């Protein structure tokens, strides 16, 4: 694609023609992703070397609206400085409406690698045809009235549905094996000092998380029963060494002999999916496909407000070997209102961590979520893949 945008001058050097520049610009504006991506950058900023250094077939990925630009740039700045400028992995931005000129130009300049802008097709964003619009409208109003977090927002349901069943099928992402999900307005508190994609691949991991906490129960009233139906219908997909015990609780109180949290029911623990580093082929595989379709048909993405975090977590916990999931202890991360920072002072010092989030007034932002009551991390150590460092400090 880029070669069609340049021509050889009489002296043999490569020039960009004004017509082609205009064409690239238009392509960027009308959201034509292929042309907008490579060409726009090469034409506008030809001297920046954007060749990838990192060895993995991987990309950073961000779902965002045009109005998220400032927050997107803040997240990018930190992730580029702390990690990606040493590797120059590309960025894929996704949106259900075309990104505007400002968004494309500023994110392209912030990125060290190539940037791609994907327009999400309507059928991957809007509710599936079998969703009853009247029932959806009614349930949005009830959820809003009942104070369910993000309960009244149709767009939020589209977003969670997309992140659960469609992001990994977007055209550009088909080219990659690994993704690193980034959200606007997050912070990375420490230098990475290694390539997390390589770390996962070399250690036979499929997915990595930083924060594990409990979900709001009123967003997922019938999720677990739907998962139970899935398990009954497709026992062949359950991994023999799965992490079912991480997401279900059967401990009883010592004194009373009563269950602490449900009885073999989902305990609401989930990997906080605003940070994810994972293998796209897991989501594109047969087992996840069956799982997502089963959940989708049940309608809970729209009639309730199922989040992509519990949906991802339950699938990972059931379909993978628990040892294929990695907790990154050493990546400091903040997404309001929670921060996780390495507990070890040595790690914090050597990775130049700043374990204080922007929002200093917020007490939660200064405390690592790992020691909070809502954290599921100790449960992951007990019932997941244990606690160990994979990287060298
Ligand atoms: P929270 O993390 O659950 O509080 O939800 P956010 O508001 O941060 O949204 C999660 C991600 O989806 C972020 O990357 C947002 O930029 C993105 N997002 C949320 N709603 C929309 C939307 O309507 N359109 C697009 N394109 N992105 C959205
Ligand atoms: Mn967010």
């Amino acid at each position: 694609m880029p070669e069609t945008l340049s021509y050889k001058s009489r002296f043999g050097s490569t020039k960009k023609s004004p017509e082609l520049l205009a064409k690239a610009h238009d392509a960027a504006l009308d959201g034509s992703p292929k042309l907008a991506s490579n060409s726009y950058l090469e034409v506008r900023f030809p001297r920046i070397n954007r060749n990838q250094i990192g060895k993995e077939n991987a990309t950073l990925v961000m779902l965002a609206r045009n109005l998220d630009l400032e927050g997107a740039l803040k997240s990018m700045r930190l992730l580029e400085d702390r990690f990606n400028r040493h590797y120059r992995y590309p960025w894929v931005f996704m949106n259900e409406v075309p990104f505007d000129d400002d968004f494309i130009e500023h994110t392209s300049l912030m990125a060290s690698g190539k940037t791609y802008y994907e327009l999400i097709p309507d059928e991957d964003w809007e509710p599936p045809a079998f969703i009853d619009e009247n029932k959806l409208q009614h349930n949005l109003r009830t959820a809003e009235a009942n104070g369910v977090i993000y309960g009244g927002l149709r767009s939020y349901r589209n977003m969670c549905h997309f992140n659960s069943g469609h992001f990994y099928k977007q055209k550009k992402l088909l080219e990659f094996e690994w993704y690193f999900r980034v959200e606007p307005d997050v912070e990375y508190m420490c230098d990475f000092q290694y390539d997390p994609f390589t770390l996962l691949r070399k250690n036979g991991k499929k997915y990595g998380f930083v924060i594990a906490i409990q979900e709001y129960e009123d967003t997922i009233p019938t999720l677990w029963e739907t998962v139970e139906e899935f398990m009954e219908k497709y026992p062949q997909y359950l991994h023999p060494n799965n992490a079912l015990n991480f997401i279900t609780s059967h401990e009883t109180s010592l004194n009373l002999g009563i269950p602490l949290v449900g009885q073999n029911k989902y305990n609401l623990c989930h990997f906080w999916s605003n940070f994810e580093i994972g293998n796209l082929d897991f989501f594109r595989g047969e087992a996840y496909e069956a799982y997502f379709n089963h959940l989708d048909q049940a309608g809970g993405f729209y009639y309730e407000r199922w989040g992509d975090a519990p949906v991802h977590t339950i699938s990972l916990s059931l379909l993978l070997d628990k040892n294929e999931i990695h907790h990154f202890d050493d990546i400091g991360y903040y997404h309001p209102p929670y921060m996780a920072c390495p507990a070890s002072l040595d790690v914090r010092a050597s990775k130049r961590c700043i374990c204080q989030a922007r929002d200093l007034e917020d007490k939660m932002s200064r405390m690592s979520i790992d020691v909070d009551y809502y954290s599921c991390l100790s449960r992951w150590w007990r019932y997941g893949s244990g606690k160990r460092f994979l990287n060298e400090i």
Side-chain angles (χ1 to χ4, degrees), residues 61-68 72 94-97 99 118 120 125 149-150 153-160 162-163 181-186 272-274 305 308 333 335-337:
V61 48
M62 186 189 289
L63 175 70
R65 293 153 292 206
N66 285 308
L67 57 82
D68 290 321
M94 300 181 296
N95 192 351
E96 81 283 10
V97 297
F99 283 110
E118 289 289 279
I120 301 166
W125 185 258
I149 186 163
Y150 293 118
L153 281 180
R154 185 194 167 98
S155 63
Y156 196 85
R157 295 187 191 199
N158 284 339
M159 182 273 286
C160 292
F162 172 81
N163 276 328
R181 174 166 162 189
V182 180
E183 279 202 1
D185 280 310
V186 300
W272 222 20
S273 62
N274 45 64
R305 208 234 65 200
D308 52 283
Y333 177 63
H335 174 296

Side-chain angles (χ1 to χ4, degrees), residues 1-5 16 20-21 23-25 27-28 32-46 114-116:
M1 199 60 77
E3 59 277 10
T4 63
L5 292 170
K16 315 291 180 189
L20 293 172
L21 188 138
K23 206 167 135 197
H25 197 255
S32 165
K34 268 265 156 56
L35 199 59
S37 52
N38 285 323
S39 59
Y40 187 83
L41 273 174
E42 284 192 22
V43 174
R44 290 293 296 269
F45 316 114
K114 291 186 171 152
T115 47
Y116 302 93

Side-chain angles (χ1 to χ4, degrees), residues 326-371:
H326 176 58
H327 170 234
F328 285 103
D329 316 58
D330 55 343
I331 295 182
Y333 177 63
Y334 172 64
H335 174 296
Y338 298 123
M339 180 187 73
C341 234
S344 151
L345 294 182
D346 273 1
V347 175
R348 287 190 186 192
S350 68
K351 294 189 176 244
R352 307 191 313 152
C353 302
I354 297 195
C355 293
Q356 198 166 41
R358 243 182 342 244
D359 184 5
L360 294 180
E361 294 310 307
D362 184 351
K363 195 164 142 274
M364 298 293 252
S365 314
R366 274 177 282 166
M367 188 173 83
S368 198
I369 177 66
D370 301 345
V371 296

Side-chain angles (χ1 to χ4, degrees), residues 122-143 150-164 166 219 222 292 295-307:
D122 274 355
E123 62 269 27
D124 292 350
W125 185 258
E126 293 295 328
F130 58 80
I131 293 296
D132 174 345
E133 185 63 35
N134 291 332
K135 187 171 169 189
L136 167 58
Q137 290 302 333
H138 175 263
N139 292 9
L140 284 169
R141 284 193 298 272
T142 344
Y150 293 118
L153 281 180
R154 185 194 167 98
S155 63
Y156 196 85
R157 295 187 191 199
N158 284 339
M159 182 273 286
C160 292
H161 182 249
F162 172 81
N163 276 328
S164 298
H166 296 290
T219 61
T222 66
F292 173 75
L295 265 52
D296 200 18
Q297 297 291 328
F301 286 107
Y302 285 99
Y303 301 144
E304 296 177 8
R305 208 234 65 200
W306 295 354

